[in-house]
Amino acid sequence: VAMKAEVARARYPAFFRDAARLEAGALELQSYDTHVVKGLLQTEAYMRSLLSMRRPLLDETTIEQRVAARQARQELFAKWPSPLCAFVMEEAVLRRRLGGTHVLREQLEEILRIGQMRNVEIQVMPLDRVDNAGVDGGFTLFTGKDGAQVGYLEVQGRSMLITEREEVRSLAARYGIIRAQALTPPESKNLIEKLLGEL
């Protein structure tokens, strides 16, 4: 029993294990994504497509383990009390046909489905914005039970937890501006439905 949490964490790549722990215990999760759909929102087909594109190539066993681990993370949406989740993603993320048109169609439908949950807000940063506070790239903010916020950055198989108070405050302020610049949740839903209609 004492090792259960450690065993669960071991299924994730080493660079993500600390973030997985924070994600599982978060009361609030806020993310901004610029390249691909957030793992928590991904369909199985989208996960497989992304993992199959990795270079150097991942073996099939590793792909299967990572798909299973990513799917297990999605149990977060069924928890009670449910964490408050805010996802902002660039419009380009929703236009990339990674894995093919059928994979993207299923992925957009899944985003719409999850966006209907009471504890989830999904927003899109449109391509035509002339000012975007997120130009430095994607990040995630976790707020724990103690109210403390931690930032998380990930790129090229590397990750960094941001715990220094001023840096976290700066990330939180930036996230607020990003949300204000993005489409509202209803506008975002309309855009995703429009993109679905174009596939």
Side-chain angles (χ1 to χ4, degrees), residues 20-50:
R21 177 182 49 78
L22 290 167
E23 183 180 87
L27 289 184
E28 292 180 27
L29 182 151
Q30 300 170 309
S31 80
Y32 170 60
D33 294 288
T34 60
H35 288 81
V36 298
V37 173
K38 188 79 172 171
L40 283 170
L41 303 175
Q42 292 174 9
T43 63
E44 182 177 344
Y46 191 91
M47 291 175 198
R48 277 184 204 291
S49 297
L50 292 184

PDB file of all heavy atoms in Angstrom, residues 20-50:
ATOM      1  N   ALA A  20       3.085  14.584 -12.794  1.00  0.00           N
ATOM      2  CA  ALA A  20       1.967  13.640 -12.628  1.00  0.00           C
ATOM      3  C   ALA A  20       1.473  13.649 -11.186  1.00  0.00           C
ATOM      4  O   ALA A  20       0.261  13.595 -10.931  1.00  0.00           O
ATOM      5  CB  ALA A  20       2.405  12.227 -13.033  1.00  0.00           C
ATOM      6  N   ARG A  21       2.397  13.729 -10.245  1.00  0.00           N
ATOM      7  CA  ARG A  21       2.027  13.778  -8.820  1.00  0.00           C
ATOM      8  C   ARG A  21       1.248  15.058  -8.519  1.00  0.00           C
ATOM      9  O   ARG A  21       0.217  15.038  -7.847  1.00  0.00           O
ATOM     10  CB  ARG A  21       3.291  13.693  -7.957  1.00  0.00           C
ATOM     11  CG  ARG A  21       3.064  13.813  -6.456  1.00  0.00           C
ATOM     12  CD  ARG A  21       4.380  13.774  -5.679  1.00  0.00           C
ATOM     13  NE  ARG A  21       5.405  14.666  -6.188  1.00  0.00           N
ATOM     14  CZ  ARG A  21       5.451  15.973  -5.991  1.00  0.00           C
ATOM     15  NH1 ARG A  21       4.515  16.565  -5.288  1.00  0.00           N
ATOM     16  NH2 ARG A  21       6.441  16.694  -6.488  1.00  0.00           N
ATOM     17  N   LEU A  22       1.726  16.182  -9.035  1.00  0.00           N
ATOM     18  CA  LEU A  22       1.044  17.458  -8.813  1.00  0.00           C
ATOM     19  C   LEU A  22      -0.332  17.469  -9.474  1.00  0.00           C
ATOM     20  O   LEU A  22      -1.308  17.945  -8.893  1.00  0.00           O
ATOM     21  CB  LEU A  22       1.891  18.610  -9.370  1.00  0.00           C
ATOM     22  CG  LEU A  22       3.174  18.914  -8.600  1.00  0.00           C
ATOM     23  CD1 LEU A  22       4.070  19.841  -9.407  1.00  0.00           C
ATOM     24  CD2 LEU A  22       2.860  19.515  -7.236  1.00  0.00           C
ATOM     25  N   GLU A  23      -0.395  16.932 -10.678  1.00  0.00           N
ATOM     26  CA  GLU A  23      -1.662  16.879 -11.408  1.00  0.00           C
ATOM     27  C   GLU A  23      -2.702  16.061 -10.654  1.00  0.00           C
ATOM     28  O   GLU A  23      -3.857  16.484 -10.513  1.00  0.00           O
ATOM     29  CB  GLU A  23      -1.391  16.259 -12.788  1.00  0.00           C
ATOM     30  CG  GLU A  23      -2.584  16.186 -13.696  1.00  0.00           C
ATOM     31  CD  GLU A  23      -2.212  15.552 -15.027  1.00  0.00           C
ATOM     32  OE1 GLU A  23      -2.261  14.295 -15.116  1.00  0.00           O
ATOM     33  OE2 GLU A  23      -1.863  16.297 -15.965  1.00  0.00           O
ATOM     34  N   ALA A  24      -2.295  14.908 -10.141  1.00  0.00           N
ATOM     35  CA  ALA A  24      -3.225  14.012  -9.440  1.00  0.00           C
ATOM     36  C   ALA A  24      -3.786  14.644  -8.170  1.00  0.00           C
ATOM     37  O   ALA A  24      -4.911  14.360  -7.775  1.00  0.00           O
ATOM     38  CB  ALA A  24      -2.533  12.690  -9.112  1.00  0.00           C
ATOM     39  N   GLY A  25      -3.009  15.527  -7.529  1.00  0.00           N
ATOM     40  CA  GLY A  25      -3.460  16.128  -6.279  1.00  0.00           C
ATOM     41  C   GLY A  25      -3.960  17.557  -6.405  1.00  0.00           C
ATOM     42  O   GLY A  25      -4.267  18.208  -5.398  1.00  0.00           O
ATOM     43  N   ALA A  26      -4.059  18.041  -7.628  1.00  0.00           N
ATOM     44  CA  ALA A  26      -4.418  19.458  -7.833  1.00  0.00           C
ATOM     45  C   ALA A  26      -5.891  19.732  -7.571  1.00  0.00           C
ATOM     46  O   ALA A  26      -6.754  18.932  -7.903  1.00  0.00           O
ATOM     47  CB  ALA A  26      -4.066  19.880  -9.256  1.00  0.00           C
ATOM     48  N   LEU A  27      -6.145  20.888  -6.956  1.00  0.00           N
ATOM     49  CA  LEU A  27      -7.514  21.391  -6.832  1.00  0.00           C
ATOM     50  C   LEU A  27      -7.865  22.236  -8.050  1.00  0.00           C
ATOM     51  O   LEU A  27      -9.027  22.368  -8.406  1.00  0.00           O
ATOM     52  CB  LEU A  27      -7.667  22.248  -5.579  1.00  0.00           C
ATOM     53  CG  LEU A  27      -7.637  21.527  -4.237  1.00  0.00           C
ATOM     54  CD1 LEU A  27      -7.890  22.509  -3.113  1.00  0.00           C
ATOM     55  CD2 LEU A  27      -8.664  20.413  -4.197  1.00  0.00           C
ATOM     56  N   GLU A  28      -6.821  22.810  -8.661  1.00  0.00           N
ATOM     57  CA  GLU A  28      -7.000  23.591  -9.883  1.00  0.00           C
ATOM     58  C   GLU A  28      -5.857  23.267 -10.834  1.00  0.00           C
ATOM     59  O   GLU A  28      -4.718  23.078 -10.406  1.00  0.00           O
ATOM     60  CB  GLU A  28      -6.971  25.098  -9.599  1.00  0.00           C
ATOM     61  CG  GLU A  28      -8.142  25.613  -8.819  1.00  0.00           C
ATOM     62  CD  GLU A  28      -8.044  27.109  -8.571  1.00  0.00           C
ATOM     63  OE1 GLU A  28      -7.396  27.823  -9.381  1.00  0.00           O
ATOM     64  OE2 GLU A  28      -8.606  27.560  -7.571  1.00  0.00           O
ATOM     65  N   LEU A  29      -6.187  23.211 -12.114  1.00  0.00           N
ATOM     66  CA  LEU A  29      -5.193  22.957 -13.147  1.00  0.00           C
ATOM     67  C   LEU A  29      -5.473  23.925 -14.282  1.00  0.00           C
ATOM     68  O   LEU A  29      -6.608  24.022 -14.750  1.00  0.00           O
ATOM     69  CB  LEU A  29      -5.312  21.512 -13.626  1.00  0.00           C
ATOM     70  CG  LEU A  29      -4.328  21.026 -14.673  1.00  0.00           C
ATOM     71  CD1 LEU A  29      -4.110  19.531 -14.521  1.00  0.00           C
ATOM     72  CD2 LEU A  29      -4.804  21.339 -16.083  1.00  0.00           C
ATOM     73  N   GLN A  30      -4.454  24.672 -14.683  1.00  0.00           N
ATOM     74  CA  GLN A  30      -4.597  25.631 -15.769  1.00  0.00           C
ATOM     75  C   GLN A  30      -3.482  25.366 -16.777  1.00  0.00           C
ATOM     76  O   GLN A  30      -2.316  25.317 -16.386  1.00  0.00           O
ATOM     77  CB  GLN A  30      -4.482  27.065 -15.243  1.00  0.00           C
ATOM     78  CG  GLN A  30      -5.540  27.403 -14.206  1.00  0.00           C
ATOM     79  CD  GLN A  30      -5.258  28.721 -13.530  1.00  0.00           C
ATOM     80  OE1 GLN A  30      -4.163  28.959 -13.040  1.00  0.00           O
ATOM     81  NE2 GLN A  30      -6.257  29.595 -13.501  1.00  0.00           N
ATOM     82  N   SER A  31      -3.837  25.181 -18.034  1.00  0.00           N
ATOM     83  CA  SER A  31      -2.782  24.911 -19.008  1.00  0.00           C
ATOM     84  C   SER A  31      -2.965  25.727 -20.274  1.00  0.00           C
ATOM     85  O   SER A  31      -4.081  26.083 -20.650  1.00  0.00           O
ATOM     86  CB  SER A  31      -2.723  23.419 -19.346  1.00  0.00           C
ATOM     87  OG  SER A  31      -3.719  23.078 -20.279  1.00  0.00           O
ATOM     88  N   TYR A  32      -1.827  25.995 -20.887  1.00  0.00           N
ATOM     89  CA  TYR A  32      -1.788  26.702 -22.163  1.00  0.00           C
ATOM     90  C   TYR A  32      -0.920  25.861 -23.087  1.00  0.00           C
ATOM     91  O   TYR A  32       0.226  25.549 -22.756  1.00  0.00           O
ATOM     92  CB  TYR A  32      -1.201  28.103 -21.974  1.00  0.00           C
ATOM     93  CG  TYR A  32      -0.898  28.821 -23.264  1.00  0.00           C
ATOM     94  CD1 TYR A  32      -1.904  29.090 -24.187  1.00  0.00           C
ATOM     95  CD2 TYR A  32       0.390  29.239 -23.553  1.00  0.00           C
ATOM     96  CE1 TYR A  32      -1.627  29.761 -25.365  1.00  0.00           C
ATOM     97  CE2 TYR A  32       0.677  29.912 -24.730  1.00  0.00           C
ATOM     98  CZ  TYR A  32      -0.330  30.160 -25.637  1.00  0.00           C
ATOM     99  OH  TYR A  32      -0.052  30.815 -26.808  1.00  0.00           O
ATOM    100  N   ASP A  33      -1.476  25.441 -24.224  1.00  0.00           N
ATOM    101  CA  ASP A  33      -0.759  24.546 -25.125  1.00  0.00           C
ATOM    102  C   ASP A  33      -0.656  25.136 -26.521  1.00  0.00           C
ATOM    103  O   ASP A  33      -1.620  25.698 -27.056  1.00  0.00           O
ATOM    104  CB  ASP A  33      -1.461  23.180 -25.161  1.00  0.00           C
ATOM    105  CG  ASP A  33      -1.361  22.495 -23.811  1.00  0.00           C
ATOM    106  OD1 ASP A  33      -0.257  22.048 -23.464  1.00  0.00           O
ATOM    107  OD2 ASP A  33      -2.373  22.423 -23.097  1.00  0.00           O
ATOM    108  N   THR A  34       0.535  24.982 -27.093  1.00  0.00           N
ATOM    109  CA  THR A  34       0.833  25.630 -28.368  1.00  0.00           C
ATOM    110  C   THR A  34       1.099  24.667 -29.521  1.00  0.00           C
ATOM    111  O   THR A  34       1.069  25.088 -30.675  1.00  0.00           O
ATOM    112  CB  THR A  34       2.070  26.538 -28.217  1.00  0.00           C
ATOM    113  OG1 THR A  34       3.184  25.728 -27.814  1.00  0.00           O
ATOM    114  CG2 THR A  34       1.832  27.628 -27.180  1.00  0.00           C
ATOM    115  N   HIS A  35       1.386  23.394 -29.223  1.00  0.00           N
ATOM    116  CA  HIS A  35       1.782  22.472 -30.293  1.00  0.00           C
ATOM    117  C   HIS A  35       0.843  21.280 -30.467  1.00  0.00           C
ATOM    118  O   HIS A  35       0.521  20.906 -31.581  1.00  0.00           O
ATOM    119  CB  HIS A  35       3.208  21.969 -30.057  1.00  0.00           C
ATOM    120  CG  HIS A  35       4.241  23.015 -30.312  1.00  0.00           C
ATOM    121  ND1 HIS A  35       4.565  23.979 -29.391  1.00  0.00           N
ATOM    122  CD2 HIS A  35       4.993  23.267 -31.396  1.00  0.00           C
ATOM    123  CE1 HIS A  35       5.479  24.787 -29.904  1.00  0.00           C
ATOM    124  NE2 HIS A  35       5.759  24.373 -31.124  1.00  0.00           N
ATOM    125  N   VAL A  36       0.471  20.664 -29.351  1.00  0.00           N
ATOM    126  CA  VAL A  36      -0.416  19.497 -29.416  1.00  0.00           C
ATOM    127  C   VAL A  36      -1.482  19.628 -28.328  1.00  0.00           C
ATOM    128  O   VAL A  36      -1.349  20.419 -27.398  1.00  0.00           O
ATOM    129  CB  VAL A  36       0.350  18.156 -29.231  1.00  0.00           C
ATOM    130  CG1 VAL A  36       1.374  17.949 -30.336  1.00  0.00           C
ATOM    131  CG2 VAL A  36       1.002  18.072 -27.864  1.00  0.00           C
ATOM    132  N   VAL A  37      -2.529  18.831 -28.463  1.00  0.00           N
ATOM    133  CA  VAL A  37      -3.599  18.804 -27.460  1.00  0.00           C
ATOM    134  C   VAL A  37      -3.028  18.271 -26.144  1.00  0.00           C
ATOM    135  O   VAL A  37      -2.223  17.338 -26.127  1.00  0.00           O
ATOM    136  CB  VAL A  37      -4.759  17.903 -27.945  1.00  0.00           C
ATOM    137  CG1 VAL A  37      -5.811  17.721 -26.856  1.00  0.00           C
ATOM    138  CG2 VAL A  37      -5.380  18.479 -29.210  1.00  0.00           C
ATOM    139  N   LYS A  38      -3.437  18.864 -25.038  1.00  0.00           N
ATOM    140  CA  LYS A  38      -3.001  18.435 -23.698  1.00  0.00           C
ATOM    141  C   LYS A  38      -3.295  16.953 -23.502  1.00  0.00           C
ATOM    142  O   LYS A  38      -4.348  16.460 -23.881  1.00  0.00           O
ATOM    143  CB  LYS A  38      -3.758  19.264 -22.651  1.00  0.00           C
ATOM    144  CG  LYS A  38      -3.276  19.071 -21.245  1.00  0.00           C
ATOM    145  CD  LYS A  38      -2.056  19.875 -21.081  1.00  0.00           C
ATOM    146  CE  LYS A  38      -1.543  19.941 -19.668  1.00  0.00           C
ATOM    147  NZ  LYS A  38      -0.224  20.572 -19.670  1.00  0.00           N
ATOM    148  N   GLY A  39      -2.350  16.240 -22.860  1.00  0.00           N
ATOM    149  CA  GLY A  39      -2.513  14.807 -22.626  1.00  0.00           C
ATOM    150  C   GLY A  39      -3.822  14.444 -21.957  1.00  0.00           C
ATOM    151  O   GLY A  39      -4.431  13.421 -22.272  1.00  0.00           O
ATOM    152  N   LEU A  40      -4.293  15.277 -21.041  1.00  0.00           N
ATOM    153  CA  LEU A  40      -5.546  15.000 -20.338  1.00  0.00           C
ATOM    154  C   LEU A  40      -6.758  15.004 -21.272  1.00  0.00           C
ATOM    155  O   LEU A  40      -7.787  14.427 -20.950  1.00  0.00           O
ATOM    156  CB  LEU A  40      -5.783  16.039 -19.235  1.00  0.00           C
ATOM    157  CG  LEU A  40      -4.973  15.868 -17.959  1.00  0.00           C
ATOM    158  CD1 LEU A  40      -5.136  17.093 -17.063  1.00  0.00           C
ATOM    159  CD2 LEU A  40      -5.378  14.602 -17.224  1.00  0.00           C
ATOM    160  N   LEU A  41      -6.630  15.643 -22.420  1.00  0.00           N
ATOM    161  CA  LEU A  41      -7.747  15.756 -23.356  1.00  0.00           C
ATOM    162  C   LEU A  41      -7.623  14.810 -24.552  1.00  0.00           C
ATOM    163  O   LEU A  41      -8.525  14.736 -25.375  1.00  0.00           O
ATOM    164  CB  LEU A  41      -7.848  17.197 -23.880  1.00  0.00           C
ATOM    165  CG  LEU A  41      -8.003  18.311 -22.849  1.00  0.00           C
ATOM    166  CD1 LEU A  41      -7.971  19.672 -23.537  1.00  0.00           C
ATOM    167  CD2 LEU A  41      -9.282  18.143 -22.058  1.00  0.00           C
ATOM    168  N   GLN A  42      -6.515  14.098 -24.636  1.00  0.00           N
ATOM    169  CA  GLN A  42      -6.238  13.301 -25.833  1.00  0.00           C
ATOM    170  C   GLN A  42      -7.055  12.017 -25.913  1.00  0.00           C
ATOM    171  O   GLN A  42      -7.269  11.345 -24.916  1.00  0.00           O
ATOM    172  CB  GLN A  42      -4.751  12.938 -25.887  1.00  0.00           C
ATOM    173  CG  GLN A  42      -3.844  14.120 -26.134  1.00  0.00           C
ATOM    174  CD  GLN A  42      -2.374  13.752 -26.046  1.00  0.00           C
ATOM    175  OE1 GLN A  42      -2.013  12.576 -25.967  1.00  0.00           O
ATOM    176  NE2 GLN A  42      -1.513  14.761 -26.060  1.00  0.00           N
ATOM    177  N   THR A  43      -7.457  11.675 -27.136  1.00  0.00           N
ATOM    178  CA  THR A  43      -8.065  10.370 -27.383  1.00  0.00           C
ATOM    179  C   THR A  43      -6.950   9.338 -27.510  1.00  0.00           C
ATOM    180  O   THR A  43      -5.775   9.681 -27.709  1.00  0.00           O
ATOM    181  CB  THR A  43      -8.868  10.366 -28.701  1.00  0.00           C
ATOM    182  OG1 THR A  43      -7.957  10.600 -29.784  1.00  0.00           O
ATOM    183  CG2 THR A  43      -9.965  11.415 -28.701  1.00  0.00           C
ATOM    184  N   GLU A  44      -7.323   8.077 -27.423  1.00  0.00           N
ATOM    185  CA  GLU A  44      -6.323   7.015 -27.549  1.00  0.00           C
ATOM    186  C   GLU A  44      -5.631   7.062 -28.913  1.00  0.00           C
ATOM    187  O   GLU A  44      -4.406   6.907 -29.010  1.00  0.00           O
ATOM    188  CB  GLU A  44      -6.982   5.653 -27.341  1.00  0.00           C
ATOM    189  CG  GLU A  44      -6.002   4.498 -27.403  1.00  0.00           C
ATOM    190  CD  GLU A  44      -6.639   3.151 -27.123  1.00  0.00           C
ATOM    191  OE1 GLU A  44      -7.767   3.104 -26.587  1.00  0.00           O
ATOM    192  OE2 GLU A  44      -6.000   2.134 -27.449  1.00  0.00           O
ATOM    193  N   ALA A  45      -6.386   7.286 -29.974  1.00  0.00           N
ATOM    194  CA  ALA A  45      -5.801   7.324 -31.319  1.00  0.00           C
ATOM    195  C   ALA A  45      -4.825   8.493 -31.460  1.00  0.00           C
ATOM    196  O   ALA A  45      -3.761   8.359 -32.079  1.00  0.00           O
ATOM    197  CB  ALA A  45      -6.904   7.424 -32.369  1.00  0.00           C
ATOM    198  N   TYR A  46      -5.175   9.637 -30.876  1.00  0.00           N
ATOM    199  CA  TYR A  46      -4.294  10.808 -30.929  1.00  0.00           C
ATOM    200  C   TYR A  46      -3.012  10.528 -30.140  1.00  0.00           C
ATOM    201  O   TYR A  46      -1.909  10.838 -30.595  1.00  0.00           O
ATOM    202  CB  TYR A  46      -5.043  12.015 -30.365  1.00  0.00           C
ATOM    203  CG  TYR A  46      -4.370  13.355 -30.574  1.00  0.00           C
ATOM    204  CD1 TYR A  46      -4.642  14.122 -31.705  1.00  0.00           C
ATOM    205  CD2 TYR A  46      -3.498  13.881 -29.624  1.00  0.00           C
ATOM    206  CE1 TYR A  46      -4.062  15.373 -31.890  1.00  0.00           C
ATOM    207  CE2 TYR A  46      -2.901  15.118 -29.797  1.00  0.00           C
ATOM    208  CZ  TYR A  46      -3.183  15.861 -30.930  1.00  0.00           C
ATOM    209  OH  TYR A  46      -2.599  17.100 -31.119  1.00  0.00           O
ATOM    210  N   MET A  47      -3.150   9.909 -28.962  1.00  0.00           N
ATOM    211  CA  MET A  47      -1.973   9.542 -28.161  1.00  0.00           C
ATOM    212  C   MET A  47      -1.033   8.662 -28.969  1.00  0.00           C
ATOM    213  O   MET A  47       0.175   8.901 -29.020  1.00  0.00           O
ATOM    214  CB  MET A  47      -2.398   8.750 -26.914  1.00  0.00           C
ATOM    215  CG  MET A  47      -3.143   9.495 -25.875  1.00  0.00           C
ATOM    216  SD  MET A  47      -3.677   8.341 -24.581  1.00  0.00           S
ATOM    217  CE  MET A  47      -4.952   9.289 -23.791  1.00  0.00           C
ATOM    218  N   ARG A  48      -1.596   7.608 -29.560  1.00  0.00           N
ATOM    219  CA  ARG A  48      -0.777   6.663 -30.329  1.00  0.00           C
ATOM    220  C   ARG A  48      -0.069   7.358 -31.484  1.00  0.00           C
ATOM    221  O   ARG A  48       1.097   7.088 -31.765  1.00  0.00           O
ATOM    222  CB  ARG A  48      -1.645   5.540 -30.884  1.00  0.00           C
ATOM    223  CG  ARG A  48      -1.899   4.452 -29.927  1.00  0.00           C
ATOM    224  CD  ARG A  48      -2.682   3.305 -30.561  1.00  0.00           C
ATOM    225  NE  ARG A  48      -3.371   2.594 -29.528  1.00  0.00           N
ATOM    226  CZ  ARG A  48      -2.767   1.854 -28.617  1.00  0.00           C
ATOM    227  NH1 ARG A  48      -1.456   1.716 -28.655  1.00  0.00           N
ATOM    228  NH2 ARG A  48      -3.449   1.254 -27.677  1.00  0.00           N
ATOM    229  N   SER A  49      -0.790   8.244 -32.153  1.00  0.00           N
ATOM    230  CA  SER A  49      -0.191   8.975 -33.273  1.00  0.00           C
ATOM    231  C   SER A  49       1.003   9.798 -32.808  1.00  0.00           C
ATOM    232  O   SER A  49       2.079   9.749 -33.413  1.00  0.00           O
ATOM    233  CB  SER A  49      -1.232   9.885 -33.932  1.00  0.00           C
ATOM    234  OG  SER A  49      -2.281   9.124 -34.483  1.00  0.00           O
ATOM    235  N   LEU A  50       0.819  10.550 -31.736  1.00  0.00           N
ATOM    236  CA  LEU A  50       1.915  11.383 -31.225  1.00  0.00           C
ATOM    237  C   LEU A  50       3.108  10.546 -30.796  1.00  0.00           C
ATOM    238  O   LEU A  50       4.253  10.852 -31.131  1.00  0.00           O
ATOM    239  CB  LEU A  50       1.438  12.221 -30.032  1.00  0.00           C
ATOM    240  CG  LEU A  50       0.431  13.322 -30.283  1.00  0.00           C
ATOM    241  CD1 LEU A  50       0.175  14.095 -29.001  1.00  0.00           C
ATOM    242  CD2 LEU A  50       0.894  14.262 -31.377  1.00  0.00           C
TER     243      LEU A  50
END
